[in-house]
Amino acid sequence: EDQVTQSPEALRLQEGESSSLNCSYTVSGLRGLFWYRQDPGKGPEFLFTLYSAGEEKEKERLKATLTKKESFLHITAPKPEDSATYLCALASGGYQKVTFGTGTKLQVIP
Amino acid sequence: EADIYQTPRYLVIGTGKKITLECSQTMGHDKMYWYQQDPGMELHLIHYSYGVNSTEKGDLSSESTVSRIRTEHFPLTLESARPSHTSQYLCASSEYSGGANTEAFFGQGTRLTVV
């Protein structure tokens, strides 16, 4: 059975303090790993898709990387507006099943 | 910005009532999904569709039903609402590229409370 585990559950950073969020996974036949950002009371907003180990994607202060067992979302010099829950999801299987993690709730303090 | 819309945003309804949650997208995506999410918990897929006249049940057992008569419209119906149906319902869509998965675009969600 496909599994996605995100850590830590919650992370509190000072503005400018860089850190990384982890997404560990086990899957039979990875067809894509996705990172989303979700603000309270809203739907997830797409950030990145990674398809193969070694792949990296960047967007502003965020950088996502992928290995065969985990993905990292690196946040460089975060700002308060980066505060949100970050979700990892992986796609696998014949009908392109998508499994979501429970997320990391990030709080950036000014 | 994603062009996928859900109505209503919030709904409080009595037990036993029939409700329909609306979802529409203007991106021409073939694949559409309904997820259920409780506070602080992961998203669970309850229904999905590959295109017109295609509907499938997801991983989480649900008493709801869906229909896909038009590409852009994917409503979810509960015939008889119960307090256990209280949750946030998220609609999403994505391109259907055959082999590879593409990212999903989500609506703002409907927060349903059954009293």
Side-chain angles (χ1 to χ4, degrees):
Chain A
E1 184 179 331
D2 300 340
Q3 287 192 337
V4 180
T5 303
Q6 291 191 246
S7 62
E9 289 186 8
L11 182 62
R12 196 176 186 199
L13 298 174
Q14 292 289 329
E15 184 173 2
E17 179 186 2
S18 301
S19 188
S20 297
L21 313 182
N22 178 263
C23 172
S24 297
Y25 65 90
T26 55
V27 65
S28 54
L30 179 68
R31 291 181 177 270
L33 187 140
F34 307 94
W35 282 98
Y36 291 88
R37 168 192 171 128
Q38 187 173 24
D39 293 301
K42 295 188 176 181
E45 176 188 346
F46 170 74
L47 293 173
F48 303 109
T49 308
L50 301 166
Y51 288 108
S52 57
E55 191 174 358
E56 298 182 353
K57 294 272 180 76
E58 280 189 74
K59 179 181 179 181
E60 296 180 353
R61 296 177 292 280
L62 301 177
K63 179 180 178 180
T65 62
L66 181 66
T67 71
K68 289 185 178 179
K69 293 183 178 181
E70 56 192 353
S71 177
F72 291 94
L73 184 66
H74 306 279
I75 302 177
T76 302
K79 297 182 178 182
E81 53 262 41
D82 294 323
S83 297
T85 295
Y86 290 85
L87 302 173
C88 170
L90 57 85
S92 65
Y95 72 92
Q96 303 173 347
K97 172 185 175 180
V98 177
T99 304
F100 278 84
T102 54
T104 293
K105 186 175 183 179
L106 174 66
Q107 184 184 13
V108 182
I109 302 165
Chain B
E1 191 168 325
D3 296 317
I4 180 163
Y5 308 99
Q6 290 185 242
T7 57
R9 287 292 313 279
Y10 304 93
L11 179 61
V12 180
I13 200 162
T15 298
K17 298 290 187 183
K18 177 180 178 179
I19 59 171
T20 296
L21 308 185
E22 301 288 348
C23 177
S24 294
Q25 51 98 2
T26 59
M27 296 172 283
H29 287 165
D30 287 320
K31 287 191 78 173
M32 295 190 74
Y33 319 76
W34 277 102
Y35 287 89
Q36 187 173 339
Q37 185 182 33
D38 293 319
M41 303 297 287
E42 63 265 47
L43 280 73
H44 289 287
L45 181 67
I46 51 177
H47 297 283
Y48 63 100
S49 166
Y50 282 111
V52 171
N53 294 326
S54 155
T55 60
E56 303 286 345
K57 288 189 179 294
D59 302 315
L60 184 67
S61 175
S62 173
E63 293 163 344
S64 58
T65 59
V66 291
S67 62
R68 191 88 183 275
I69 298 172
R70 304 197 314 266
T71 297
E72 63 271 21
H73 195 213
F74 192 41
L76 181 145
T77 298
L78 275 167
E79 291 292 333
S80 180
R82 294 209 299 268
S84 60
H85 295 138
T86 295
S87 187
Q88 171 153 275
Y89 293 83
L90 290 161
C91 179
S93 72
S94 69
E95 292 182 3
Y96 181 42
S97 63
N101 268 83
T102 60
E103 65 273 16
F105 293 92
F106 284 82
Q108 295 280 51
T110 293
R111 182 160 296 282
L112 173 66
T113 303
V114 184
V115 297

